[in-house]
Amino acid sequence: MSRGMTTGTAAVEGAFAGTDGDDLFSGRPVHRIFAERAARHPDAVAVRAGATSMTYAELDDRANRLAHLLRDRGVGHETAVALCLDRGPWLPVAVLAVFRAGGTYVPLDPNDPPARRDLVIDDADAALVLTDGPVEVSGVDVLDLGSAALDAAPAHAPDVADDPRRAAYVIYTSGSTGRPKGVVVEHRNLTAYVDGVVRRLAIDRPMRFAMVQPLTVDSSVTALFPPLCTGGEVHLLRRETVLDPGRFADWVGEHGMDVLKIAPSHLRALQSSPRFEELLPQARLVVGGEAADWRWLQALQRARPHCRVVNHYGPTETTVGVLTLAVADHPDADWDIAPIGGPLPGVRVSVVDVHGDPVADGEIGELVVAGPYVARGYHRRPELTATAFALGRYRTGDQVRRLADGTIAFVGRQDDQVKVNGFRVELGEVDAALRAHPAVHASATVVRDLSGERAIVSYAQTGATPDELLTHLRARLAPHQVPRAVVVLDRIPLSAHGKVDRAALPVPPEPAEGAAAATDLERTVSSAWSAVLGVDSVAADVNFFDAGGHSLLLVQLQQRLRDGTGQPVDLIDLLAHTTVQAQARLLSGRHPGLATAPAGRRTPQQDALLRRRVQHSRTIRDAR
């Protein structure tokens, strides 16, 4: 991993506004801070995951032993170690072990298609993949932590010198060229962020943090490291739990939760449940990852007056987040979209024009960030790094304006990067994957408002069918990148300047009619589908995900089916029964549980989640 990042000069930094905090960098990486906590409070609970809990002493011991195994396998200074792990007990062990061995972790999503995982492994030049179950990867050694011989390894930490400029992790984000790009975050960046967010959120005692996002999304960093550095607990909640309001509320009722960081679209999906208030945190509710409706945030604050509701903003390139806005601090504000707030300690921000000169308050400009949170750059992308990270600053590409009180308000993007359901997507990467199909001659990808929801739609000049193209894309893209619809055109419309005429791209047609609902129960299920998908009718034999559904809409469907039938229904069962007909049979009691083969084909996302569920019991048992 290349070095050579420049730092900001005094003249450049003088143009920035920010907050005090230049002395916040203590020089100690987070794994050292955790070790100090473990020495002082060895018997305190550090991690809860399913039926498993680990104390600080147990987590410290396992991380040390695994670190020695990694050293024996050649892991050293900035050796990339890929982590293909669910949110389970092995995840914090693996992260701390990689740090203590001197390596750099590269998260992989077990639900991504193998082709995408292989692309990340290859670009990062990963020497090893750590997993907690079977995983399909190519050309790299795999260590299944469930069978690792930890007991034979030394219990003390390896003798590895700390280096604040060593890469802590590389997170891959969507790339406009068709290949995801890896953001290299150093230990000094990570420590600065943890220190800054602990101060800003006033984490003044050990608190219980719920981690509801995968490690591939850097928002998860907020739920992982701050509690381990302050004596708190990390609650690792699996996907099937955080998407099911009932299960989520059950967990909170049993174990409690003080801090929750979550994407607005995810929280809104959970809000459809009558148990919504049961799953809200006691002390801090942090939303981030996409724009949030201001009046909705105000309503959340009123519903939870003792809990601080905070809007948190920041690109991966600035180590998770750099701006926050506390809702309670603006009781009389009347905004439509919540502003993204003011800088964290040590962060300096500027709003500049196309020439890099500061603009006046109220004028629109690009947000530029400086300070210790700014990452090293993009892995193996020197030209892109030089453009985006010039003079130690990061040009976000986000269009903002500074309000009269100094608060920053988000306006939009300068490029084709979008946020869909909290995930960052470069439309160019979707286009590149589409053009990789041999029958596609030209393509365009946009975000449209479909049934009141932002959705990715692709257009292709091709002789292939939409179903063929969607199958092609699902094998290459992460689930959140797959378009809601692919529209086949005779020709992609162009403007007089030869660019894609986006205004001339047609609205996707309604899905073709299929089998009609034949029973009262099928009609009840079909009605719930129509309400969730925002359509007049649905075929009884179409796959929910092919009809435009996704995991967050499935949460809403679950609640509507419960309300409409009066029967409990598990989210994992809905993932296994993905047509109106199959769900009606499930609800009728003819084919209960997961043993029934679902009608219709499943998407790779469904298959991956179901496989991980089967492995769950063994993983928890082996981690004890």
Side-chain angles (χ1 to χ4, degrees), residues 318-379:
T318 60
T319 315
V320 186
V322 289
L323 301 174
T324 60
L325 181 119
V327 175
D329 290 347
H330 303 271
D332 301 322
D334 187 25
W335 298 307
D336 291 324
I337 301 299
I340 51 181
L344 268 66
V347 173
R348 294 176 294 282
V349 298
S350 180
V351 183
V352 303
D353 61 19
V354 293
H355 304 293
D357 297 322
V359 302
D361 288 357
E363 293 185 5
I364 296 175
E366 181 183 9
L367 181 66
V368 181
V369 179
Y373 298 43
V374 176
R376 179 189 298 176
Y378 298 114
H379 182 49

Short mmCIF file of all heavy atoms in Angstrom, two decimals, residues 318-379:
data_model
loop_
_atom_site.label_atom_id
_atom_site.label_comp_id
_atom_site.label_asym_id
_atom_site.label_seq_id
_atom_site.Cartn_x
_atom_site.Cartn_y
_atom_site.Cartn_z
N THR A 318 -13.19 10.39 4.70
CA THR A 318 -12.86 11.20 5.88
C THR A 318 -13.13 10.42 7.16
O THR A 318 -13.49 10.99 8.19
CB THR A 318 -13.66 12.52 5.89
OG1 THR A 318 -15.06 12.22 5.91
CG2 THR A 318 -13.33 13.35 4.66
N THR A 319 -12.93 9.11 7.11
CA THR A 319 -13.04 8.23 8.28
C THR A 319 -14.40 8.36 8.95
O THR A 319 -14.54 8.97 10.01
CB THR A 319 -11.91 8.48 9.29
OG1 THR A 319 -10.66 8.58 8.60
CG2 THR A 319 -11.82 7.35 10.30
N VAL A 320 -15.38 7.82 8.30
CA VAL A 320 -16.75 7.66 8.80
C VAL A 320 -17.54 8.95 8.76
O VAL A 320 -18.54 9.05 8.06
CB VAL A 320 -16.78 7.08 10.23
CG1 VAL A 320 -18.22 6.79 10.64
CG2 VAL A 320 -15.93 5.83 10.34
N GLY A 321 -17.17 9.95 9.56
CA GLY A 321 -18.00 11.14 9.65
C GLY A 321 -17.24 12.33 10.19
O GLY A 321 -16.34 12.19 11.02
N VAL A 322 -17.63 13.52 9.73
CA VAL A 322 -16.93 14.74 10.15
C VAL A 322 -17.87 15.84 10.63
O VAL A 322 -17.41 16.82 11.21
CB VAL A 322 -16.05 15.29 9.00
CG1 VAL A 322 -14.86 14.38 8.76
CG2 VAL A 322 -16.86 15.46 7.72
N LEU A 323 -19.17 15.71 10.38
CA LEU A 323 -20.13 16.73 10.78
C LEU A 323 -21.28 16.08 11.55
O LEU A 323 -21.65 14.95 11.26
CB LEU A 323 -20.71 17.47 9.57
CG LEU A 323 -19.74 18.20 8.63
CD1 LEU A 323 -20.51 18.74 7.43
CD2 LEU A 323 -19.04 19.33 9.35
N THR A 324 -21.83 16.81 12.50
CA THR A 324 -23.02 16.33 13.21
C THR A 324 -23.96 17.50 13.46
O THR A 324 -23.54 18.66 13.54
CB THR A 324 -22.68 15.69 14.57
OG1 THR A 324 -22.04 16.66 15.40
CG2 THR A 324 -21.81 14.47 14.42
N LEU A 325 -25.24 17.16 13.62
CA LEU A 325 -26.25 18.14 13.99
C LEU A 325 -27.17 17.50 15.03
O LEU A 325 -27.79 16.47 14.76
CB LEU A 325 -27.07 18.59 12.78
CG LEU A 325 -28.13 19.64 13.12
CD1 LEU A 325 -27.88 20.94 12.38
CD2 LEU A 325 -29.53 19.13 12.81
N ALA A 326 -27.21 18.08 16.22
CA ALA A 326 -28.10 17.60 17.28
C ALA A 326 -29.47 18.22 17.10
O ALA A 326 -29.62 19.45 17.08
CB ALA A 326 -27.53 17.95 18.65
N VAL A 327 -30.49 17.40 16.94
CA VAL A 327 -31.83 17.89 16.64
C VAL A 327 -32.36 18.80 17.75
O VAL A 327 -32.97 19.84 17.48
CB VAL A 327 -32.79 16.70 16.40
CG1 VAL A 327 -34.22 17.18 16.19
CG2 VAL A 327 -32.32 15.88 15.20
N ALA A 328 -32.11 18.45 18.99
CA ALA A 328 -32.64 19.22 20.11
C ALA A 328 -32.06 20.63 20.20
O ALA A 328 -32.64 21.50 20.85
CB ALA A 328 -32.39 18.48 21.43
N ASP A 329 -30.93 20.86 19.53
CA ASP A 329 -30.31 22.19 19.57
C ASP A 329 -31.00 23.18 18.65
O ASP A 329 -30.66 24.37 18.64
CB ASP A 329 -28.83 22.09 19.17
CG ASP A 329 -27.98 21.40 20.23
OD1 ASP A 329 -28.49 21.22 21.36
OD2 ASP A 329 -26.84 21.03 19.92
N HIS A 330 -31.97 22.71 17.85
CA HIS A 330 -32.64 23.59 16.88
C HIS A 330 -34.16 23.42 16.98
O HIS A 330 -34.82 23.03 16.01
CB HIS A 330 -32.15 23.27 15.47
CG HIS A 330 -30.67 23.37 15.30
ND1 HIS A 330 -30.04 24.54 14.93
CD2 HIS A 330 -29.68 22.45 15.48
CE1 HIS A 330 -28.74 24.34 14.87
NE2 HIS A 330 -28.49 23.09 15.20
N PRO A 331 -34.74 23.74 18.14
CA PRO A 331 -36.17 23.47 18.34
C PRO A 331 -37.09 24.30 17.46
O PRO A 331 -38.22 23.88 17.17
CB PRO A 331 -36.38 23.82 19.82
CG PRO A 331 -35.28 24.79 20.14
CD PRO A 331 -34.11 24.35 19.32
N ASP A 332 -36.64 25.47 17.01
CA ASP A 332 -37.50 26.35 16.23
C ASP A 332 -37.20 26.32 14.73
O ASP A 332 -37.82 27.06 13.96
CB ASP A 332 -37.36 27.79 16.73
CG ASP A 332 -37.74 27.93 18.20
OD1 ASP A 332 -38.70 27.25 18.62
OD2 ASP A 332 -37.07 28.69 18.92
N ALA A 333 -36.27 25.48 14.32
CA ALA A 333 -35.89 25.43 12.90
C ALA A 333 -37.02 24.83 12.07
O ALA A 333 -37.75 23.94 12.53
CB ALA A 333 -34.62 24.62 12.73
N ASP A 334 -37.15 25.32 10.85
CA ASP A 334 -38.21 24.84 9.95
C ASP A 334 -37.59 24.47 8.61
O ASP A 334 -37.83 25.11 7.59
CB ASP A 334 -39.29 25.91 9.78
CG ASP A 334 -40.50 25.40 9.00
OD1 ASP A 334 -40.72 24.17 9.02
OD2 ASP A 334 -41.19 26.21 8.37
N TRP A 335 -36.78 23.42 8.62
CA TRP A 335 -36.13 22.96 7.40
C TRP A 335 -36.95 21.82 6.78
O TRP A 335 -37.77 21.19 7.45
CB TRP A 335 -34.73 22.44 7.71
CG TRP A 335 -33.79 23.47 8.27
CD1 TRP A 335 -33.50 24.69 7.75
CD2 TRP A 335 -33.00 23.35 9.47
NE1 TRP A 335 -32.58 25.35 8.53
CE2 TRP A 335 -32.25 24.55 9.60
CE3 TRP A 335 -32.84 22.36 10.44
CZ2 TRP A 335 -31.37 24.78 10.65
CZ3 TRP A 335 -31.96 22.58 11.49
CH2 TRP A 335 -31.24 23.77 11.59
N ASP A 336 -36.71 21.55 5.51
CA ASP A 336 -37.30 20.38 4.87
C ASP A 336 -36.36 19.17 5.04
O ASP A 336 -36.76 18.12 5.52
CB ASP A 336 -37.56 20.65 3.38
CG ASP A 336 -38.67 21.65 3.17
OD1 ASP A 336 -39.65 21.63 3.95
OD2 ASP A 336 -38.57 22.47 2.23
N ILE A 337 -35.11 19.35 4.62
CA ILE A 337 -34.10 18.32 4.77
C ILE A 337 -33.16 18.74 5.90
O ILE A 337 -32.74 19.89 5.97
CB ILE A 337 -33.30 18.12 3.47
CG1 ILE A 337 -34.24 17.72 2.33
CG2 ILE A 337 -32.20 17.07 3.66
CD1 ILE A 337 -34.97 16.41 2.57
N ALA A 338 -32.84 17.80 6.77
CA ALA A 338 -31.98 18.12 7.91
C ALA A 338 -30.60 18.55 7.44
O ALA A 338 -29.98 17.86 6.62
CB ALA A 338 -31.86 16.91 8.83
N PRO A 339 -30.08 19.68 7.93
CA PRO A 339 -28.68 20.04 7.64
C PRO A 339 -27.73 18.98 8.19
O PRO A 339 -28.11 18.17 9.05
CB PRO A 339 -28.51 21.38 8.35
CG PRO A 339 -29.89 21.92 8.52
CD PRO A 339 -30.76 20.71 8.72
N ILE A 340 -26.50 19.00 7.70
CA ILE A 340 -25.53 17.99 8.14
C ILE A 340 -24.66 18.49 9.28
O ILE A 340 -23.85 17.74 9.81
CB ILE A 340 -24.67 17.49 6.96
CG1 ILE A 340 -24.06 18.65 6.18
CG2 ILE A 340 -25.53 16.63 6.04
CD1 ILE A 340 -23.22 18.23 4.99
N GLY A 341 -24.82 19.77 9.67
CA GLY A 341 -24.29 20.21 10.95
C GLY A 341 -22.96 20.90 10.93
O GLY A 341 -22.56 21.55 9.95
N GLY A 342 -22.24 20.75 12.05
CA GLY A 342 -20.95 21.39 12.24
C GLY A 342 -19.86 20.36 12.47
O GLY A 342 -20.14 19.19 12.76
N PRO A 343 -18.59 20.77 12.35
CA PRO A 343 -17.47 19.82 12.37
C PRO A 343 -17.19 19.23 13.75
O PRO A 343 -17.38 19.87 14.78
CB PRO A 343 -16.29 20.65 11.88
CG PRO A 343 -16.67 22.06 12.15
CD PRO A 343 -18.15 22.13 12.04
N LEU A 344 -16.72 17.98 13.75
CA LEU A 344 -16.26 17.32 14.96
C LEU A 344 -14.93 17.92 15.40
O LEU A 344 -14.27 18.62 14.62
CB LEU A 344 -16.09 15.81 14.71
CG LEU A 344 -17.30 14.92 15.04
CD1 LEU A 344 -18.45 15.21 14.11
CD2 LEU A 344 -16.91 13.44 14.96
N PRO A 345 -14.51 17.66 16.63
CA PRO A 345 -13.22 18.18 17.10
C PRO A 345 -12.08 17.82 16.15
O PRO A 345 -11.94 16.67 15.74
CB PRO A 345 -13.05 17.49 18.46
CG PRO A 345 -14.44 17.24 18.93
CD PRO A 345 -15.22 16.92 17.70
N GLY A 346 -11.29 18.81 15.80
CA GLY A 346 -10.14 18.61 14.93
C GLY A 346 -10.44 18.72 13.45
O GLY A 346 -9.51 18.78 12.64
N VAL A 347 -11.71 18.73 13.08
CA VAL A 347 -12.09 18.80 11.66
C VAL A 347 -12.15 20.26 11.22
O VAL A 347 -12.64 21.12 11.95
CB VAL A 347 -13.46 18.13 11.43
CG1 VAL A 347 -13.93 18.35 10.00
CG2 VAL A 347 -13.37 16.64 11.74
N ARG A 348 -11.68 20.52 10.01
CA ARG A 348 -11.77 21.85 9.41
C ARG A 348 -12.47 21.71 8.06
O ARG A 348 -12.09 20.86 7.26
CB ARG A 348 -10.38 22.47 9.26
CG ARG A 348 -9.73 22.75 10.61
CD ARG A 348 -8.31 23.28 10.48
NE ARG A 348 -7.39 22.31 9.91
CZ ARG A 348 -6.86 21.30 10.60
NH1 ARG A 348 -7.20 21.09 11.86
NH2 ARG A 348 -6.00 20.47 10.03
N VAL A 349 -13.49 22.53 7.85
CA VAL A 349 -14.25 22.43 6.61
C VAL A 349 -14.30 23.79 5.92
O VAL A 349 -14.23 24.84 6.57
CB VAL A 349 -15.69 21.93 6.86
CG1 VAL A 349 -15.68 20.54 7.44
CG2 VAL A 349 -16.46 22.88 7.76
N SER A 350 -14.43 23.75 4.61
CA SER A 350 -14.56 24.96 3.82
C SER A 350 -15.56 24.71 2.70
O SER A 350 -15.69 23.58 2.21
CB SER A 350 -13.20 25.36 3.22
OG SER A 350 -13.32 26.53 2.44
N VAL A 351 -16.28 25.75 2.31
CA VAL A 351 -17.19 25.69 1.17
C VAL A 351 -16.57 26.55 0.08
O VAL A 351 -16.40 27.76 0.26
CB VAL A 351 -18.60 26.20 1.54
CG1 VAL A 351 -19.54 26.04 0.36
CG2 VAL A 351 -19.13 25.45 2.76
N VAL A 352 -16.21 25.93 -1.06
CA VAL A 352 -15.43 26.62 -2.08
C VAL A 352 -16.10 26.56 -3.44
O VAL A 352 -16.95 25.70 -3.70
CB VAL A 352 -14.01 26.02 -2.17
CG1 VAL A 352 -13.31 26.07 -0.82
CG2 VAL A 352 -14.05 24.59 -2.69
N ASP A 353 -15.68 27.48 -4.32
CA ASP A 353 -16.19 27.47 -5.69
C ASP A 353 -15.31 26.58 -6.57
O ASP A 353 -14.41 25.89 -6.07
CB ASP A 353 -16.28 28.90 -6.24
CG ASP A 353 -14.92 29.61 -6.28
OD1 ASP A 353 -13.87 28.92 -6.25
OD2 ASP A 353 -14.90 30.85 -6.35
N VAL A 354 -15.54 26.62 -7.87
CA VAL A 354 -14.82 25.73 -8.79
C VAL A 354 -13.33 26.04 -8.83
O VAL A 354 -12.52 25.20 -9.23
CB VAL A 354 -15.41 25.82 -10.21
CG1 VAL A 354 -16.81 25.25 -10.24
CG2 VAL A 354 -15.40 27.25 -10.73
N HIS A 355 -12.94 27.25 -8.39
CA HIS A 355 -11.53 27.62 -8.37
C HIS A 355 -10.87 27.33 -7.03
O HIS A 355 -9.68 27.59 -6.85
CB HIS A 355 -11.38 29.11 -8.70
CG HIS A 355 -12.01 29.51 -10.00
ND1 HIS A 355 -11.54 29.07 -11.21
CD2 HIS A 355 -13.11 30.29 -10.26
CE1 HIS A 355 -12.30 29.57 -12.18
NE2 HIS A 355 -13.25 30.31 -11.63
N GLY A 356 -11.65 26.83 -6.07
CA GLY A 356 -11.11 26.53 -4.75
C GLY A 356 -11.15 27.70 -3.80
O GLY A 356 -10.60 27.62 -2.69
N ASP A 357 -11.81 28.79 -4.18
CA ASP A 357 -11.91 29.96 -3.31
C ASP A 357 -13.17 29.87 -2.45
O ASP A 357 -14.23 29.44 -2.93
CB ASP A 357 -11.95 31.24 -4.14
CG ASP A 357 -10.68 31.44 -4.95
OD1 ASP A 357 -9.60 31.12 -4.41
OD2 ASP A 357 -10.76 31.90 -6.10
N PRO A 358 -13.09 30.29 -1.17
CA PRO A 358 -14.27 30.24 -0.30
C PRO A 358 -15.42 31.08 -0.85
O PRO A 358 -15.20 32.15 -1.43
CB PRO A 358 -13.75 30.81 1.02
CG PRO A 358 -12.27 30.60 0.98
CD PRO A 358 -11.88 30.75 -0.46
N VAL A 359 -16.65 30.58 -0.68
CA VAL A 359 -17.83 31.32 -1.10
C VAL A 359 -18.47 31.95 0.12
O VAL A 359 -18.21 31.57 1.27
CB VAL A 359 -18.85 30.40 -1.82
CG1 VAL A 359 -18.21 29.75 -3.03
CG2 VAL A 359 -19.39 29.34 -0.87
N ALA A 360 -19.32 32.93 -0.10
CA ALA A 360 -20.00 33.61 1.00
C ALA A 360 -21.06 32.70 1.62
O ALA A 360 -21.56 31.77 0.98
CB ALA A 360 -20.66 34.89 0.48
N ASP A 361 -21.40 32.97 2.88
CA ASP A 361 -22.45 32.21 3.54
C ASP A 361 -23.73 32.29 2.71
O ASP A 361 -24.10 33.35 2.20
CB ASP A 361 -22.72 32.78 4.94
CG ASP A 361 -21.60 32.46 5.92
OD1 ASP A 361 -20.66 31.75 5.51
OD2 ASP A 361 -21.67 32.93 7.07
N GLY A 362 -24.40 31.16 2.58
CA GLY A 362 -25.64 31.09 1.82
C GLY A 362 -25.44 30.70 0.38
O GLY A 362 -26.40 30.25 -0.28
N GLU A 363 -24.22 30.86 -0.15
CA GLU A 363 -23.95 30.47 -1.53
C GLU A 363 -23.58 28.99 -1.60
O GLU A 363 -23.00 28.43 -0.68
CB GLU A 363 -22.82 31.31 -2.12
CG GLU A 363 -23.18 32.78 -2.30
CD GLU A 363 -22.08 33.55 -3.01
OE1 GLU A 363 -21.10 32.90 -3.44
OE2 GLU A 363 -22.20 34.77 -3.12
N ILE A 364 -23.90 28.37 -2.74
CA ILE A 364 -23.62 26.95 -2.92
C ILE A 364 -22.18 26.75 -3.38
O ILE A 364 -21.69 27.47 -4.26
CB ILE A 364 -24.60 26.33 -3.94
CG1 ILE A 364 -26.03 26.40 -3.39
CG2 ILE A 364 -24.22 24.89 -4.25
CD1 ILE A 364 -27.08 25.92 -4.38
N GLY A 365 -21.51 25.79 -2.78
CA GLY A 365 -20.16 25.45 -3.18
C GLY A 365 -19.86 24.01 -2.81
O GLY A 365 -20.72 23.29 -2.27
N GLU A 366 -18.64 23.58 -3.09
CA GLU A 366 -18.23 22.21 -2.76
C GLU A 366 -17.67 22.16 -1.34
O GLU A 366 -16.92 23.04 -0.93
CB GLU A 366 -17.16 21.71 -3.74
CG GLU A 366 -16.72 20.28 -3.47
CD GLU A 366 -15.60 19.80 -4.38
OE1 GLU A 366 -15.04 20.64 -5.11
OE2 GLU A 366 -15.29 18.60 -4.35
N LEU A 367 -18.03 21.12 -0.61
CA LEU A 367 -17.51 20.93 0.74
C LEU A 367 -16.13 20.28 0.67
O LEU A 367 -15.96 19.23 0.04
CB LEU A 367 -18.46 20.05 1.56
CG LEU A 367 -18.03 19.79 3.01
CD1 LEU A 367 -18.07 21.08 3.82
CD2 LEU A 367 -18.92 18.73 3.65
N VAL A 368 -15.15 20.91 1.31
CA VAL A 368 -13.79 20.39 1.37
C VAL A 368 -13.44 20.19 2.84
O VAL A 368 -13.74 21.04 3.68
CB VAL A 368 -12.79 21.35 0.70
CG1 VAL A 368 -11.38 20.78 0.74
CG2 VAL A 368 -13.20 21.62 -0.75
N VAL A 369 -12.80 19.06 3.15
CA VAL A 369 -12.51 18.68 4.53
C VAL A 369 -11.01 18.56 4.73
O VAL A 369 -10.30 18.01 3.87
CB VAL A 369 -13.19 17.34 4.89
CG1 VAL A 369 -12.87 16.94 6.33
CG2 VAL A 369 -14.70 17.42 4.68
N ALA A 370 -10.52 19.06 5.86
CA ALA A 370 -9.11 18.91 6.24
C ALA A 370 -9.04 18.49 7.70
O ALA A 370 -10.01 18.60 8.44
CB ALA A 370 -8.35 20.22 6.03
N GLY A 371 -7.86 17.99 8.10
CA GLY A 371 -7.68 17.58 9.48
C GLY A 371 -7.30 16.12 9.59
O GLY A 371 -7.12 15.42 8.59
N PRO A 372 -7.18 15.61 10.82
CA PRO A 372 -6.65 14.26 11.04
C PRO A 372 -7.57 13.13 10.61
O PRO A 372 -7.16 11.98 10.61
CB PRO A 372 -6.41 14.23 12.55
CG PRO A 372 -7.38 15.22 13.11
CD PRO A 372 -7.45 16.31 12.09
N TYR A 373 -8.82 13.45 10.24
CA TYR A 373 -9.74 12.40 9.81
C TYR A 373 -9.55 12.04 8.33
O TYR A 373 -10.04 10.99 7.88
CB TYR A 373 -11.19 12.85 9.99
CG TYR A 373 -11.65 13.15 11.40
CD1 TYR A 373 -10.86 13.86 12.29
CD2 TYR A 373 -12.90 12.75 11.84
CE1 TYR A 373 -11.28 14.16 13.57
CE2 TYR A 373 -13.35 13.05 13.11
CZ TYR A 373 -12.53 13.75 13.97
OH TYR A 373 -12.97 14.05 15.24
N VAL A 374 -8.90 12.89 7.57
CA VAL A 374 -8.77 12.67 6.12
C VAL A 374 -7.88 11.46 5.86
O VAL A 374 -6.74 11.39 6.32
CB VAL A 374 -8.20 13.92 5.42
CG1 VAL A 374 -7.97 13.65 3.94
CG2 VAL A 374 -9.16 15.09 5.60
N ALA A 375 -8.40 10.49 5.12
CA ALA A 375 -7.70 9.23 4.88
C ALA A 375 -6.47 9.42 3.99
O ALA A 375 -6.24 10.50 3.42
CB ALA A 375 -8.67 8.23 4.23
N ARG A 376 -5.67 8.36 3.88
CA ARG A 376 -4.46 8.41 3.07
C ARG A 376 -4.77 8.63 1.60
O ARG A 376 -4.08 9.37 0.90
CB ARG A 376 -3.67 7.10 3.23
CG ARG A 376 -2.40 7.05 2.40
CD ARG A 376 -1.76 5.67 2.42
NE ARG A 376 -1.35 5.26 3.75
CZ ARG A 376 -0.83 4.06 4.03
NH1 ARG A 376 -0.69 3.17 3.05
NH2 ARG A 376 -0.48 3.75 5.26
N GLY A 377 -5.79 7.96 1.10
CA GLY A 377 -6.13 8.07 -0.31
C GLY A 377 -6.74 6.77 -0.81
O GLY A 377 -7.21 5.94 -0.02
N TYR A 378 -6.73 6.59 -2.13
CA TYR A 378 -7.28 5.39 -2.75
C TYR A 378 -6.17 4.39 -3.04
O TYR A 378 -5.12 4.75 -3.59
CB TYR A 378 -8.02 5.74 -4.05
CG TYR A 378 -9.20 6.66 -3.84
CD1 TYR A 378 -9.20 7.96 -4.36
CD2 TYR A 378 -10.31 6.24 -3.12
CE1 TYR A 378 -10.27 8.81 -4.17
CE2 TYR A 378 -11.39 7.08 -2.93
CZ TYR A 378 -11.37 8.36 -3.45
OH TYR A 378 -12.43 9.20 -3.26
N HIS A 379 -6.41 3.15 -2.69
CA HIS A 379 -5.41 2.10 -2.88
C HIS A 379 -5.15 1.88 -4.37
O HIS A 379 -6.07 1.64 -5.15
CB HIS A 379 -5.91 0.81 -2.24
CG HIS A 379 -4.96 -0.33 -2.33
ND1 HIS A 379 -3.63 -0.23 -1.98
CD2 HIS A 379 -5.14 -1.62 -2.72
CE1 HIS A 379 -3.04 -1.39 -2.16
NE2 HIS A 379 -3.93 -2.25 -2.61
#
